[in-house]
Amino acid sequence: MLDKRHLLNYSILLPYLILSVLGLIIVYSTTSASLIQLGLNPFRSVINQGIFWIISLLAILFIYRLKLDFLKNSSVLTVVMLVEVVLLIIARFWAREVNGAHGWIVLGPISFQPAEYLKIIMVWFLAYTFERRQQSIEIYDYQALTKRKWWPKRMSDLKDWRFYSLILILLVAAQPDLGNATIIVMTAIVLYSISGVGYRWFSALLTLTITISTVFLGLISIIGVKTVSKIPIFGYVAKRFSAFFNPFKDVTDSGHQLVHSYYAMSNGGWFGRGLGNSIEKRGYLPEAQTDFVFSIVIEELGFIGASLILALVFFLILRILLVGIKAKNPFNAMIALGVGGMMLMQVFVNIGGISGLIPSTGVTFPFLSQGGNSLLVLSVAIGFVLNIDANEKREEIYREVAEAERDPNDVFVEDMEYGRYYE
């Protein structure tokens, strides 16, 4: 059997490594000044991020060596999803509140955010579900995915994807974590659209999503943010909507972050103030190391430097999408396209939030923001794609060898699952 070590996709691995190292540098740049002011080790945050990166590299190595049949095991997926549900419930009802949300579970020095892990779990779950219905989708189109009742007969039955998806998304939204909930919904739309259903359904879903979002924002504008803030779980979220409509109306409170994000980007100009020379990170822009980190990147490296980093991120996403486009196996294709779509949505939500194009949702920028959970989830996703790409390459080599060696008088049949030819 051909060793997968020789099939590693360096056009994905190298950008990942570069972005991860850049992330460590930027985490140090955005956190060292505040840590020094507090009398703490200036390398504290970057050391924590570095530990998560080492764990992430080990996770990639482990996942890359897995057989893909492991990912298609319904028992494994069921256990993972049930554990995720339990963690989301614990995070919502028993974890302490952090910045107006209950999404973090803290165990001594270790803290993790279950909603982050749900992003890759949802990609895995939907790819598994839709891949099993490919023949039905070819015949019945979208009805193959919607003809069942919403409520399953038993909790271990993973057939009704809508029920489980809705439960998980609602648990994330109830944190409240509208940022990750938005990314998960948009990723689910991408996976549904590439599952084999008619292309017109993607247009319909996209139009419906834009319409609902527009109507929702319009209603909040008409009703008023103060009225919305009276809803218990949306009090903190209402401030973000207030900043979205007019950040300069309340510069000292709801609009503080967005206004200083504008200042940071304006300070950067074309070439930036230089790495480590940001003004806004010195107590003016809260959470400068997490969801507003790209504002600091623009301030320090300028529009040109930030554009180069953004181009590298888009190159990585494009290479991931190409793996999915070229894949012969539907499961492999949907995993890769789902991962690429998830990362693209995360970049869109983050950039849209710091620029005021959409309400700020607290979503981190991939690889650059401080956050070990985010880095680990992205690394696991990269591991999935690298494994899939290597397996697709290996199967393609087997097909080519079989084709070259076959006798024209022999009869071969194609195995639709593995793509190999047998005599």
Side-chain angles (χ1 to χ4, degrees):
M1 182 176 289
L2 187 62
D3 197 327
K4 287 198 296 186
R5 289 181 299 173
H6 306 296
L7 302 173
L8 188 60
N9 191 331
Y10 289 98
S11 67
I12 291 176
L13 181 62
L14 290 179
Y16 161 78
L17 294 174
I18 293 171
L19 287 169
S20 298
V21 172
L22 282 173
L24 293 175
I25 295 171
I26 290 170
V27 166
Y28 175 75
S29 176
T30 53
T31 59
S32 57
S34 58
L35 289 173
I36 291 173
Q37 290 177 354
L38 295 173
L40 300 174
N41 183 354
F43 292 96
R44 177 179 178 179
S45 295
V46 74
I47 289 173
N48 291 338
Q49 189 82 353
I51 291 172
F52 268 97
W53 188 43
I54 293 172
I55 295 172
S56 298
L57 292 175
L58 295 175
I60 290 176
L61 178 62
F62 174 76
I63 293 170
Y64 187 69
R65 297 176 64 87
L66 280 177
K67 293 183 178 180
L68 287 180
D69 291 342
F70 179 81
L71 297 179
K72 296 181 181 181
N73 189 316
S74 62
S75 298
V76 173
L77 182 56
T78 301
V79 170
V80 170
M81 291 185 65
L82 289 175
V83 170
E84 178 68 15
V85 169
V86 171
L87 291 176
L88 286 171
I89 292 173
I90 292 174
R92 175 61 186 90
F93 296 103
W94 286 283
R96 64 185 179 88
E97 183 179 294
V98 178
N99 292 334
H102 297 268
W104 291 89
I105 296 177
V106 181
L107 299 174
I110 302 174
S111 62
F112 58 96
Q113 190 178 11
E116 282 285 345
Y117 297 90
L118 180 58
K119 292 186 289 189
I120 187 61
I121 293 173
M122 186 64 74
V123 171
W124 179 10
F125 167 61
L126 293 181
Y128 169 82
T129 303
F130 296 161
E131 187 266 344
R132 296 183 67 188
R133 301 186 186 180
Q134 287 300 293
Q135 293 183 348
S136 299
I137 291 172
E138 291 179 5
I139 300 172
Y140 300 108
D141 196 18
Y142 76 97
Q143 293 181 357
L145 301 176
T146 58
K147 63 182 179 180
R148 296 180 181 275
K149 294 182 179 180
W150 277 67
W151 192 269
K153 293 181 180 179
R154 56 184 184 275
M155 291 301 292
S156 61
D157 187 3
L158 288 177
K159 293 183 178 179
D160 198 325
W161 63 278
R162 296 169 297 168
F163 169 78
Y164 290 103
S165 299
L166 180 64
I167 293 296
L168 291 166
I169 291 169
L170 288 177
L171 284 173
V172 174
Q175 304 294 326
D177 188 351
L178 297 185
N180 280 319
T182 300
I183 292 173
I184 293 169
V185 169
M186 295 173 74
T187 304
I189 291 174
V190 169
L191 283 161
Y192 179 81
S193 303
I194 63 174
S195 64
V197 300
Y199 68 89
R200 64 188 181 279
W201 296 110
F202 173 74
S203 303
L205 284 171
L206 183 62
T207 302
L208 180 63
T209 302
I210 294 174
T211 302
I212 292 175
S213 301
T214 304
V215 171
F216 180 67
L217 290 174
L219 285 174
I220 292 178
S221 178
I222 295 171
I223 296 173
V225 176
K226 290 185 178 180
T227 303
V228 176
S229 64
K230 295 179 181 178
I231 302 175
I233 66 171
F234 290 110
Y236 178 74
V237 176
K239 288 187 176 182
R240 296 184 181 270
F241 283 105
S242 177
F244 169 71
F245 291 123
N246 187 359
F248 292 94
K249 185 178 180 180
D250 190 2
V251 177
T252 60
D253 189 14
S254 61
H256 183 76
Q257 278 188 308
L258 189 54
V259 167
H260 283 278
S261 175
Y262 291 158
Y263 290 159
M265 290 186 283
S266 177
N267 291 339
W270 286 100
F271 301 102
R273 298 179 56 85
L275 188 64
N277 294 327
S278 166
I279 297 174
E280 293 298 324
K281 72 182 180 184
R282 302 178 187 277
Y284 297 101
L285 178 58
E287 308 301 330
Q289 73 280 12
T290 53
D291 41 325
F292 281 87
V293 71
F294 205 72
S295 301
I296 304 301
V297 170
I298 296 175
E299 185 180 14
E300 295 190 345
L301 303 181
F303 177 79
I304 293 178
S307 297
L308 291 174
I309 293 176
L310 198 59
L312 184 59
V313 173
F314 284 138
F315 174 79
L316 174 60
I317 294 173
L318 177 61
R319 297 303 304 180
I320 292 172
L321 293 176
L322 284 176
V323 171
I325 292 170
K326 293 179 180 179
K328 304 295 184 183
N329 184 287
F331 177 79
N332 295 348
M334 283 186 278
I335 285 283
L337 292 172
V339 167
M342 177 191 75
M343 291 178 61
L344 187 62
M345 298 306 168
Q346 186 167 341
V347 173
F348 168 75
V349 172
N350 180 270
I351 297 295
I354 68 171
S355 61
L357 294 176
I358 61 174
S360 176
T361 55
V363 171
T364 57
F365 189 91
F367 303 107
L368 302 188
S369 294
Q370 179 188 356
N373 291 275
S374 176
L375 179 60
L376 182 56
V377 169
L378 291 168
S379 301
V380 168
I382 293 293
F384 280 1
V385 176
L386 289 174
N387 191 341
I388 285 168
D389 183 65
N391 276 275
E392 286 287 332
K393 288 177 180 177
R394 185 163 59 184
E395 296 302 331
E396 181 64 25
I397 292 172
Y398 290 154
R399 283 193 293 268
E400 291 177 356
V401 171
E403 183 68 21
E405 294 180 349
R406 77 179 180 91
D407 189 322
N409 297 320
D410 290 339
V411 177
F412 287 77
V413 293
E414 184 178 3
D415 187 304
M416 297 303 294
E417 181 176 1
Y418 295 100
R420 298 178 183 175
Y421 288 84
Y422 298 93
E423 185 175 354

